[in-house]
């Protein structure tokens, strides 16, 4: 019997890096019997989530890659050497057969250390516009895995596959339920009841993520009167940002406000339409679940959120609205009619599912095993 595969996964800093990493580790262990460990910073989100998942965390110093002249750029050589050394020690301590990177601060040291140690690398890029760390990693990677088929990143010497994004366990379970015999009907009822909603009436989910989105909060709260009687609204404002929204909506009928929902799967199980930003994780989850959405990309940054939603919007599974264009008039003239059109929502949901590969945890785990086994 072959020895268990030993995998070192590198991802940290944000939930967008950590959650896919943990989902992949779960698939590698559960489906392939692999032994997994993780690289991450000692003060980031991964410092809590990785140990909580049962994985060993090997700390690596944070190494920002500056895009313009700065003090960080001057310190980069020294910081990078220390981080690569820590990553190399982790590779040796775990006896890693393969390193899997998800981008972010710890990925570049992991890629460089793996190359020096002669250990193959698999890069996973979650965004439609690849990050700098993964551009570096792709140059020598044995394989590159993509969430979106249109992402302009490929392994120069290895294979490139569209695996999709590895989904959080609760979301992956919900995807399975929605493709089961009752098409998720039981999950819808359970989710709605857990949130105090009526599963027999339309439900609009509004979310800007854990930090919230000011434009979504202001516009939807101002539109409470137009939405009343059309749909039940579950508005997740972002942590500690519920006060102004509650004050604005007052006692509007069927308008439910929370700042944060730990059991997000309840909301996803019962929503008929979602208004949200278009981070890679959000787009991948909603597409896999077949949830139609109105995507409102961040108006700043490098434009990756617009690109993240491009495939599903192009397929008809979502609508793209510029941040400045999401106004009460837009809600009244476009969102309200959409909520009342069950046939269109159903068609959008079907198009969303067809637009992407679904849960990427299994396919990515298979790719990692194939690379490690040569």
């Amino acid at each position: 019997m072959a020895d268990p595969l030993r995998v070192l996964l590198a991802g940290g800093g944000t939930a967008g890096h950590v959650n896919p990493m943990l989902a992949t580790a779960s698939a590698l262990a559960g489906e392939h019997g692999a032994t997994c460990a993780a690289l991450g910073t000692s003060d980031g989100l991964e410092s809590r989530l990785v140990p909580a998942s049962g994985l060993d965390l090997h700390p690596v110093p944070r190494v920002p890659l500056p895009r313009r002249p700065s003090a960080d750029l001057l310190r980069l050589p020294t910081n990078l050497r220390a981080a690569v050394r820590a990553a190399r020690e982790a590779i040796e301590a775990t006896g890693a057969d393969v390193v899997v990177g998800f981008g972010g601060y710890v990925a570049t040291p992991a890629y460089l250390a793996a190359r020096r140690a002669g250990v193959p690398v698999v890069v996973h890029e979650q965004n439609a516009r690849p990050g700098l760390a993964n551009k570096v990693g792709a140059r020598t990677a044995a394989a590159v895995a993509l969430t979106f088929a249109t992402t302009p990143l490929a392994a120069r010497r290895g294979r490139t596959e569209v695996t999709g994004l590895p989904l959080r366990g609760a979301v992956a379970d919900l995807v399975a339920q929605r493709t089961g015999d009752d098409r998720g009907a039981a999950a819808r009822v359970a989710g709605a009841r857990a949130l105090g909603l009526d599963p027999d009436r339309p439900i609009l989910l509004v979310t800007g993520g854990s930090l919230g989105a000011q434009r979504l909060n202001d516009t939807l709260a101002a539109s409470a009167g137009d939405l009343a009687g059309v749909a039940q609204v579950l508005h997740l404002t972002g942590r500690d940002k519920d006060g102004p929204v509650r004050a604005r909506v007052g006692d509007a009928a069927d308008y439910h406000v929370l700042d944060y929902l730990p059991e997000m799967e309840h909301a996803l199980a019962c929503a008929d339409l979602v208004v949200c930003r278009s981070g890679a994780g959000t787009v991948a989850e909603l597409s896999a679940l077949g949830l139609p959405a109105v995507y409102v990309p961040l108006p700043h940054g490098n434009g990756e959120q617009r690109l993240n939603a491009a495939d599903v919007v192009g397929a008809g599974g979502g609508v793209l609205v510029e941040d400045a264009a999401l106004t009460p008039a837009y809600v009244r003239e476009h969102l309200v009619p959409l909520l009342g059109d069950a046939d269109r929502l159903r068609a959008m949901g079907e198009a969303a599912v067809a637009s992407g590969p679904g849960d990427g945890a299994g396919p990515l785990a298979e790719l990692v095993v194939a690379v490690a086994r040569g």
Side-chain angles (χ1 to χ4, degrees), residues 12 30 42 71 78 105 113 168 186 188 195 210 212-213 226 254 290 325 356:
S42 58
T78 300
Y105 292 134
R168 294 176 292 133
R188 175 185 175 85
L195 297 168
S210 60
D226 291 316
D254 291 328

Side-chain angles (χ1 to χ4, degrees), residues 43-317:
D43 57 353
L45 186 67
E46 65 274 17
S47 66
R48 292 185 292 105
L49 296 185
V50 169
S53 74
L55 295 182
D56 289 334
L57 177 67
H58 296 261
V60 175
R62 187 185 299 269
V63 184
L65 297 179
R67 296 176 182 273
R68 55 183 59 89
S70 67
D72 283 337
L73 184 59
L74 295 176
R75 291 189 290 266
L76 179 60
T78 300
N79 292 342
L80 187 57
R81 279 195 296 271
V84 172
R85 184 166 55 249
R88 178 66 180 268
E89 290 172 355
I91 290 172
E92 293 173 352
T94 59
D97 299 302
V98 60
V99 169
V100 186
F102 295 83
Y105 292 134
V106 302
T108 300
Y111 299 149
L112 295 175
R115 179 182 180 184
R116 294 176 186 177
V119 174
V121 165
V122 176
V123 171
H124 183 275
E125 176 55 59
Q126 64 164 305
N127 288 296
R129 175 169 285 167
L132 184 56
N134 280 351
K135 287 181 180 178
V136 171
R139 294 173 182 172
T140 55
V144 169
L146 304 175
T147 295
F148 303 109
T150 51
T151 300
L153 186 70
R156 292 187 179 181
R157 303 176 184 176
R159 56 202 283 194
T160 302
E161 294 186 11
V162 179
T163 61
L165 184 74
L167 301 179
R168 294 176 292 133
V171 176
D173 290 343
L174 184 55
V175 170
Q177 292 177 60
R178 291 172 74 93
T179 55
D181 292 341
D182 72 348
R183 309 295 292 178
R188 175 185 175 85
V189 171
R193 288 178 176 169
L195 297 168
L197 303 172
D198 183 351
D200 295 323
R201 297 177 53 217
I203 296 171
L204 172 67
L205 171 62
V206 181
T207 175
S210 60
L211 298 179
Q214 195 65 43
R215 174 71 66 176
L216 273 61
N217 287 350
D218 291 345
T219 297
L220 273 297
S223 304
D226 291 316
L227 292 165
V230 177
Q232 303 163 92
V233 180
L234 176 62
H235 188 153
L236 308 180
T237 65
R239 290 189 185 276
D240 302 321
K241 296 180 180 179
D242 55 321
V245 173
R246 292 182 190 278
R248 186 68 181 267
V249 303
D251 58 357
D254 291 328
Y255 205 108
H256 305 258
V257 180
L258 295 172
D259 70 336
Y260 179 72
L261 180 63
E263 301 84 8
M264 189 64 179
E265 61 272 17
H266 291 327
L268 296 174
C270 64
D272 295 288
L273 179 66
V274 185
V275 177
C276 55
R277 293 298 193 195
S278 49
T282 297
V283 174
E285 289 184 358
L286 297 186
S287 298
L289 289 165
L291 280 177
V294 174
Y295 292 107
V296 188
L298 279 167
H300 49 77
N302 64 4
E304 71 179 24
Q305 286 210 350
R306 167 186 279 275
L307 295 175
N308 289 341
D311 289 354
V312 65
V313 169

